[in-house]
């Protein structure tokens, strides 16, 4: 018999309602789960690991021995979202990305939002990701963030919040697709039983988005990767293959007569769109970091002349910075004239003296993050930190208050996962992906659900031992 | 196709071919070293070191040639760049880099080969069995070739994979033949001689071909003829050059004129060559010249197609 541990009653669980009753959209799955055994699920999990290893779905961890490969832990219990709820999330994330693209176009042109006094100018100009070289550069369709990842969480009451936006090189979409493929291989009977919205057409939507981002009629699209030692290399290779485009490294490209070419066995071939998975700083050693071996000398100049499209645009990072995040609801009102569909997590900016004072007084109960940080590095989770950690963080905060923001510790919602003892709840988040090419935003239903694999932990980042599970958007059973 | 991709594909198949040929060569040397009439088993184990030109590297770490050490050196030794372990590691690395250009089944075959090898290495050669290991390497190479043939499109990716295979095979067959011929020339002994040539043919999988093509007893000249000029033998120098002559001109675009010419010239020399002429030159000199030409062709392919700089 499979033992199913009850959820933590103080929080929100995706499968079980407060009284322990199964939520309607999980009833079919839960019924199936009751008929399974520990040993069967264990075997299925091992089978899944074998499949992931076989197709080489591994990732490299920064700081570990070069080339060390690990599997991201995969959980066999799906995270299920009712279709109606998904529509709400879809509208909310799409609205947000539309506003962020308008914002990026605005700050690199007329800067209406600054002149209207909605965002302080120094928040833009002082931002590490603001790129002066992009000022007054006109991009096709005014699109900056072609591929956006919006991280969503739910608090103890089940309310959805946007935790952060990712407008630079958001990753994880390959896991969304491979998780689904593996689940369909392991549990075909579950997919026969109910209608789970498909996600595997994402690469074709992405290719279409990239092709439409260029004014060239039949553009040559490539994916630019830092190379096989990058943590997301598997994803780069996977997406390039699924889209049928070349996976290139910086050394494969060169600039000549104001165009970008790639070196092929048949001679140079012109490149029109670069889906780049390299940060701004490394794109062009002539314009940015001169030490970069990953980029293409002269790329920026071609880009500014409009002879190549970069997705996402140089300088998009100014829109997903944690210090800009608190202003996104204001952007939605300013550019779209709409009320935000999804809420922000209440955020304190430590650059404001009154906020800093509050944060310093409440450190043990807050989550404090570096404004430019990512991947769960450089953050303090107050309730989980030791007294020493809090004190040392206090020093850093005082030294550079503008480098930090603080948010209340939200108890992320939980979803059951399979562990040695059976089924137990763990905290999760959700990253849907939004595609923009100026015509409209498009998404596949679902996204990547990340799981904090340790009981009680709130850190879902794969670089910190987080795992993933398949995300199902299902039609609610008619009742 | 990207030059770098072509290069990775080319080296992927070269390393797999090299691993297979190393296993074949070693299998034979090891079997011979155990024959009752072989007075000095070390002589037989010297052959693989001479063939691959690694005797200096080997002797820098071992005071004498022991069967066990040579086996380790060529199979699981991390410090020998030409060991089967390193060949398969590099093949997998190259495969990883072009993960998107090969089929899922090809990648699974390379990747699971690597995972099994790492597992197998933990137990060591003794636990797995020496013969079983060589069989395993050959089978993994067969599997990769089968997956390649059965699943990949006949495009430039396929061609560069084949080009890598035949450059490596041409080189390896010529070396195996050269060294065995020299050992054979050094001392007589009819029985030993028979077994040596028999072993050589087996190592390149051509024993059955010999039996089918020649009615006479196995002798050095016929073996040389078969492995250099044999049109029907898939590992002969002629067959390797024929495949290169088919593959190179089929690559899209106008690049590679010199490579195509070099391959065509070399193929013509083999296609219209005869044994008497070769023996006149002397087999060793002939093979030395052939190896130089294969090297020149490989360098030209690198310059004209694969060089990223």
């Amino acid at each position: 018999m499979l033992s199913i541990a009850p959820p933590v009653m103080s929080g929100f669980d995706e499968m079980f309602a407060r009284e322990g009753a199964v939520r309607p959209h999980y009833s079919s799955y839960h019924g199936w789960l009751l008929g399974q055994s520990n040993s069967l699920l264990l075997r299925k999990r091992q089978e899944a690991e074998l499949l992931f290893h076989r197709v080489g779905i591994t990732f490299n961890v920064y700081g570990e021995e070069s080339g060390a490969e690990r599997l991201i832990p995969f959980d066999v219990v799906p995270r299920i979202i009712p279709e109606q709820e998904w529509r709400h999330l879809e509208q909310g994330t799409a609205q947000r990305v539309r506003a962020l693209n308008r914002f990026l176009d605005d700050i690199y042109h007329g800067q209406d939002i600054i002149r209207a006094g909605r965002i302080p100018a120094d928040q833009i100009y002082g931002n590490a990701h603001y790129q002066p070289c992009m000022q007054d550069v006109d991009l096709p369709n005014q699109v900056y963030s072609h591929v956006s990842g919006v991280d969503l969480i739910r608090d103890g009451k089940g309310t959805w919040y946007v935790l952060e936006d990712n407008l630079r090189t958001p990753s994880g979409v390959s896991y969304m697709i491979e998780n689904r493929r593996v689940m369909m291989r392991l549990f075909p009977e579950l997919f026969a039983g109910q209608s789970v919205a498909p996600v595997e057409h994402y690469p074709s939507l992405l290719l279409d988005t990239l092709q439409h981002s260029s004014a060239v009629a039949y553009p040559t699209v490539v994916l630019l990767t830092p190379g096989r030692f990058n943590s997301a290399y598997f994803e780069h290779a996977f997406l390039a293959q699924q889209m049928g485009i070349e996976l290139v490294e910086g050394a494969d490209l060169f600039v000549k007569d104001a165009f970008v070419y790639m070196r092929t066995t048949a001679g140079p071939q012109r490149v029109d769109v670069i889906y780049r998975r390299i940060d701004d700083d490394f794109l062009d050693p002539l314009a940015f970091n001169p030490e970069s071996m990953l980029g293409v000398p002269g790329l920026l100049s071609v880009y500014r002349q409009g002879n190549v499209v970069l997705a996402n645009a140089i300088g998009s990072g100014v829109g997903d910075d944690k210090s800009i995040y608190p202003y996104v609801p204001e952007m939605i009102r300013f550019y779209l004239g709409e009320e935000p569909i999804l809420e922000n997590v209440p955020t304190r900016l430590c650059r404001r003296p009154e906020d800093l004072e509050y944060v310093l007084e409440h450190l043990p109960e807050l989550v404090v993050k570096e404004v430019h940080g990512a991947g769960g590095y450089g953050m303090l989770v107050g309730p989980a930190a030791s007294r020493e950690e809090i004190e040392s963080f206090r020093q850093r905060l005082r030294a550079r208050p503008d480098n930090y923001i603080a948010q209340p510790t939200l108890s992320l919602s939980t979803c059951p996962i399979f562990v040695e003892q059976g089924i137990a709840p763990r905290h999760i988040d959700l990253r849907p992906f939004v595609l923009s090419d100026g015509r409209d935003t498009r998404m596949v239903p679902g996204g990547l659900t990340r799981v904090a694999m340790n009981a009680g932990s709130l850190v879902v980042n794969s670089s910190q031992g987080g795992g993933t599970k398949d995300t199902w958007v299902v039609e609610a059973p008619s009742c | 196709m990207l030059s770098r991709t072509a290069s990775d594909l080319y080296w992927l198949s070269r390393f797999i071919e090299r691993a297979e040929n190393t296993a074949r060569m070693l299998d034979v040397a090891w079997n011979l070293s155990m024959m009752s009439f072989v007075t000095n088993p070390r002589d037989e184990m010297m052959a693989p070191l001479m063939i691959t030109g690694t005797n200096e590297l080997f002797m820098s770490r071992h005071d004498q040639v022991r069967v066990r050490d040579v086996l380790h050196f060529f199979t699981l030794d991390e410090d020998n760049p030409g060991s089967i372990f390193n060949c398969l590691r590099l093949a997998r690395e190259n495969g990883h880099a072009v993960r998107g250009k090969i089929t899922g089944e090809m990648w699974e075959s390379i990747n699971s080969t690597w995972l099994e090898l790492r597992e197998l290495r933990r137990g060591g050669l003794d636990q797995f069995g020496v013969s079983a290991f060589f069989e395993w390497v050959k089978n993994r190479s067969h599997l990769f070739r089968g997956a390649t043939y059965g699943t990949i499109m006949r495009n430039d990716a396929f061609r560069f994979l084949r080009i890598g295979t035949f450059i490596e095979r041409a080189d390896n067959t010529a070396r195996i033949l050269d060294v065995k011929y020299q050992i054979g020339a050094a001392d007589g002994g009819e029985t030993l001689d028979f077994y040596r040539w028999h072993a050589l043919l087996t190592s390149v999988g051509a024993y059955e071909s010999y039996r089918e093509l020649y009615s006479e007893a196995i002798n050095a000249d016929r073996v040389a003829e078969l492995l250099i000029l044999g049109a029907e033998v898939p590992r002969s120098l002629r067959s390797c050059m024929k495949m290169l002559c088919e593959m190179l001109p089929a690559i899209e675009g106008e690049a590679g004129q010199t490579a195509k010419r070099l391959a065509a010239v070399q193929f013509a020399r083999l296609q219209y060559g005869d044994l008497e002429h070769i023996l006149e030159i002397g087999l060793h000199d002939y093979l030395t010249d052939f190896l130089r030409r294969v090297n020149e062709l490989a360098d030209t392919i690198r310059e004209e197609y694969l060089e990223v700089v």
Side-chain angles (χ1 to χ4, degrees):
Chain A
M1 265 307 284
L2 188 64
S3 106
I4 302 183
V8 187
M9 273 310 147
S10 61
F12 182 91
D13 190 83
E14 303 285 341
M15 190 186 283
F16 298 103
R18 232 161 230 288
E19 298 75 23
V22 178
R23 297 184 191 278
H25 60 278
Y26 259 108
S27 63
S28 162
Y29 180 81
H30 183 259
W32 174 88
L33 191 61
L34 288 178
Q36 311 306 312
S37 65
N38 251 28
S39 59
L40 177 106
L41 289 183
L42 187 63
R43 208 171 63 236
K44 291 288 185 185
R45 190 177 68 187
Q46 286 163 345
E47 210 177 307
E49 278 168 10
L50 195 66
L51 287 172
F52 282 123
H53 257 305
R54 277 274 171 81
V55 286
I57 308 183
T58 52
F59 80 117
N60 304 319
V61 185
Y62 293 117
E64 283 189 12
E65 167 201 358
S66 131
E69 288 181 350
R70 267 190 8 212
L71 277 186
I72 294 187
F74 170 74
D75 178 58
V76 295
V77 181
R79 184 257 187 86
I80 303 180
I81 302 172
E83 195 188 14
Q84 210 175 353
E85 197 166 352
W86 167 252
R87 277 204 212 102
H88 171 73
L89 299 179
E90 188 180 32
Q91 283 163 6
T93 43
Q95 176 195 52
R96 210 170 158 95
V97 170
R98 275 201 300 276
L100 283 162
N101 267 314
R102 292 279 296 274
F103 166 72
L104 289 165
D105 188 50
D106 183 28
I107 59 152
Y108 287 120
H109 289 84
Q111 301 173 334
D112 295 343
I113 201 163
I114 298 176
R115 284 188 287 112
R118 305 287 187 94
I119 296 183
D122 69 306
Q123 282 287 46
I124 309 293
Y125 300 128
N127 193 298
H129 298 293
Y130 172 75
Q131 297 286 4
C133 63
M134 288 298 290
Q135 198 62 48
D136 297 318
V137 175
D138 295 328
L139 299 183
N141 310 322
Q142 290 81 50
V143 175
Y144 285 73
S145 183
H146 304 80
V147 184
S148 317
V150 181
D151 290 350
L152 303 172
I153 56 166
R154 313 174 88 158
D155 69 358
K157 295 190 190 68
T159 311
W160 288 92
Y161 289 96
V162 176
L163 184 65
E164 64 181 36
D165 308 287
N166 296 278
L167 309 183
R168 281 168 275 175
T169 55
S171 63
V173 79
S174 57
Y175 298 100
M176 171 184 85
I177 297 166
E178 282 296 338
N179 286 354
R180 175 62 53 84
R181 288 186 183 166
V182 167
M183 284 295 277
M184 290 182 81
R185 233 166 120 167
L186 297 183
F187 308 107
E189 70 275 20
L190 283 172
F191 289 87
Q194 55 189 324
S195 88
V196 179
V199 295
E200 287 164 273
H201 58 297
Y202 175 84
S204 69
L205 289 184
L206 175 59
L207 180 61
D208 191 57
T209 297
L210 294 169
Q211 285 169 336
H212 276 89
S213 68
S214 166
V216 175
Y218 297 98
T220 299
V221 183
V222 298
L223 193 158
L224 175 61
T225 173
R228 71 184 91 156
F229 298 110
N230 183 266
S231 61
Y233 180 74
F234 159 74
E235 174 156 307
H236 307 161
F238 173 84
L239 287 174
Q241 189 196 34
Q242 295 290 310
M243 291 191 281
I245 64 174
E246 291 290 355
L247 176 67
V248 302
E249 295 177 14
D252 296 323
L253 301 178
F254 66 96
V255 167
K256 195 173 173 237
D257 301 333
F259 284 94
V260 180
Y261 296 88
M262 59 179 160
R263 299 170 213 270
T264 76
T265 52
Q269 187 187 341
R270 212 180 99 183
V271 171
D272 306 300
V273 180
I274 301 175
Y275 176 35
R276 51 96 170 206
R277 298 291 297 258
I278 294 183
D279 290 340
D280 287 358
D281 270 356
F282 299 97
L283 271 180
D284 181 350
L286 299 183
F288 305 108
N289 184 351
E291 303 289 306
S292 171
M293 301 294 286
L294 306 173
V296 187
L299 180 61
L300 178 67
S301 153
V302 179
Y303 183 53
R304 284 171 50 98
Q305 289 172 70
N307 289 343
V308 73
V309 171
L310 294 176
N312 294 347
I314 291 177
S316 298
V318 67
D320 72 7
D321 196 88
K322 292 187 180 71
S323 65
I324 295 294
Y325 162 88
Y327 300 99
V328 177
E330 200 50 35
M331 289 176 202
I332 295 171
R333 294 183 195 102
F334 184 76
Y335 295 114
L336 308 178
E338 297 169 9
E339 273 307 304
I341 297 167
L342 291 171
E343 288 182 56
N344 258 18
V345 177
T347 303
R348 291 183 185 266
L349 298 170
C350 300
R351 64 196 293 274
R352 295 179 181 150
E354 67 276 15
D355 279 4
L356 176 64
E357 196 181 329
Y358 176 88
V359 171
L360 287 171
E361 274 169 27
H362 295 84
L363 271 182
E365 59 206 66
L366 297 172
V367 176
V368 189
K369 300 172 179 173
E370 283 186 22
V371 290
H372 308 313
Y377 292 104
M379 66 189 259
L380 174 83
V381 181
S386 69
R387 186 175 300 217
E388 292 75 38
E389 283 170 325
I390 288 178
E391 286 318 306
S392 98
F393 213 88
R394 192 188 300 278
Q395 306 292 328
R396 283 194 267 161
L397 247 173
R398 282 221 177 87
R400 280 203 62 192
D402 58 323
N403 197 33
Y404 297 93
I405 58 155
Q407 293 167 338
T409 312
L410 296 181
S411 70
L412 307 185
S413 64
T414 55
C415 183
I417 74 165
F418 175 63
V419 295
E420 299 308 320
Q421 300 77 27
I423 298 291
R426 292 289 185 274
H427 293 292
I428 55 169
D429 79 350
L430 176 67
R431 174 180 288 182
F433 295 88
V434 185
L435 299 173
S436 314
D437 60 12
R439 296 173 299 181
D440 200 3
T441 52
R442 285 185 290 176
M443 303 170 73
V444 295
L448 179 68
T449 293
R450 299 187 296 178
V451 189
M453 299 303 282
N454 295 324
S457 167
L458 295 169
V459 183
V460 296
N461 306 77
S462 54
S463 50
Q464 311 262 322
T468 69
K469 51 167 67 208
D470 194 14
T471 309
W472 294 3
V473 171
V474 296
E475 280 175 36
S478 45
C479 42
Chain B
M1 162 168 296
L2 280 183
S3 296
R4 183 177 46 82
T5 306
S7 171
D8 288 332
L9 291 165
Y10 169 86
W11 282 106
L12 159 61
S13 59
R14 273 197 80 159
F15 282 125
I16 289 191
E17 182 70 22
R18 189 174 298 176
E20 179 187 336
N21 289 332
T22 305
R24 290 178 172 281
M25 176 181 78
L26 231 58
D27 194 14
V28 165
W30 186 63
N31 276 311
L32 273 181
S33 74
M34 292 185 299
M35 296 268 179
S36 60
F37 48 80
V38 168
T39 45
N40 192 352
R42 279 160 207 170
D43 288 352
E44 301 304 328
M45 296 311 282
M46 265 307 283
L49 294 169
M50 286 164 68
I51 290 170
T52 53
T54 49
N55 35 351
E56 272 181 37
L57 177 65
F58 182 85
M59 294 314 290
S60 73
R61 293 197 276 129
H62 302 277
D63 48 353
Q64 52 172 307
V65 179
R66 274 180 296 259
V67 175
R68 200 185 154 76
D69 292 339
V70 175
L71 285 175
H72 176 73
F73 182 73
F74 279 109
T75 54
L76 302 176
D77 191 343
E78 250 179 285
D79 300 322
N80 171 14
S83 70
I84 289 170
F85 178 82
N86 276 323
C87 286
L88 294 177
R89 180 179 62 79
L90 291 167
R92 195 253 185 189
E93 266 179 32
N94 281 286
H96 195 203
V98 288
R99 171 81 181 75
K101 288 289 164 191
I102 56 179
T103 64
E105 285 166 51
M106 288 167 70
W107 166 249
E108 285 189 24
S109 117
I110 304 169
N111 200 36
S112 54
T113 296
W114 170 243
L115 297 175
E116 279 177 38
L117 179 63
R118 266 199 332 191
E119 192 55 42
L120 184 160
R121 192 159 170 272
R122 242 169 255 151
L125 208 53
D126 291 339
Q127 194 183 324
F128 194 79
V130 176
S131 268
F133 180 73
F134 295 137
E135 275 307 307
W136 178 82
V137 174
K138 278 192 271 179
N139 283 337
R140 298 309 300 189
S141 175
H142 290 326
L143 182 67
F144 175 72
R145 193 164 28 245
T148 304
Y149 254 91
T151 60
I152 200 171
M153 286 213 300
R154 271 27 178 187
N155 55 16
D156 282 354
F158 175 73
R159 290 176 200 116
F160 279 105
L161 282 163
R162 301 304 286 154
I163 288 167
T165 301
F166 289 107
I167 287 280
E168 185 66 28
R169 190 180 291 175
D171 173 282
N172 295 175
T173 301
R175 283 172 191 271
I176 291 176
L177 188 59
D178 191 23
V179 169
K180 269 291 185 286
Y181 204 83
Q182 287 183 66
I183 292 183
D187 56 63
E190 218 170 290
T191 321
L192 181 55
D193 232 30
F194 168 82
Y195 277 103
R196 276 194 173 132
W197 292 113
H198 175 263
L200 169 57
L201 286 171
T202 314
S203 78
V204 294
Y207 179 69
E208 289 87 349
S209 315
Y210 188 97
R211 277 284 162 244
E212 188 148 341
L213 291 170
Y214 303 108
S215 53
E216 58 192 294
I218 297 179
N219 72 70
D221 292 351
R222 288 281 161 255
V223 173
E225 184 178 55
L226 187 79
L227 292 185
I228 295 173
L229 303 172
E232 302 92 341
V233 181
R235 308 189 88 82
S236 73
L237 304 187
R238 175 176 166 168
S239 294
C240 294
M241 281 302 152
K242 180 163 186 277
M243 290 308 292
L244 289 169
C245 278
E246 278 177 24
M247 292 296 152
L248 284 166
I251 291 168
E252 279 179 45
E254 295 306 310
Q257 294 305 323
T258 313
K260 289 171 203 167
R261 192 182 67 244
L262 289 175
V265 167
Q266 191 50 39
F267 176 51
R269 287 166 57 93
L270 291 160
Q271 191 177 13
Y272 305 113
D274 65 69
L275 189 67
E276 268 172 48
H277 175 66
I278 293 171
L279 293 176
E280 234 167 71
I281 298 169
L283 189 68
H284 175 65
D285 288 344
Y286 179 87
L287 291 172
T288 306
D289 179 61
F290 177 83
L291 281 170
R292 186 187 58 75
R293 286 167 185 272
V294 170
N295 260 322
E296 189 188 0
L297 176 57
D299 286 346
T300 310
I301 289 172
R302 200 187 69 227
E303 281 159 25
E304 291 185 326
Y305 294 108
L306 313 178
E307 206 93 279
V308 181
V309 183

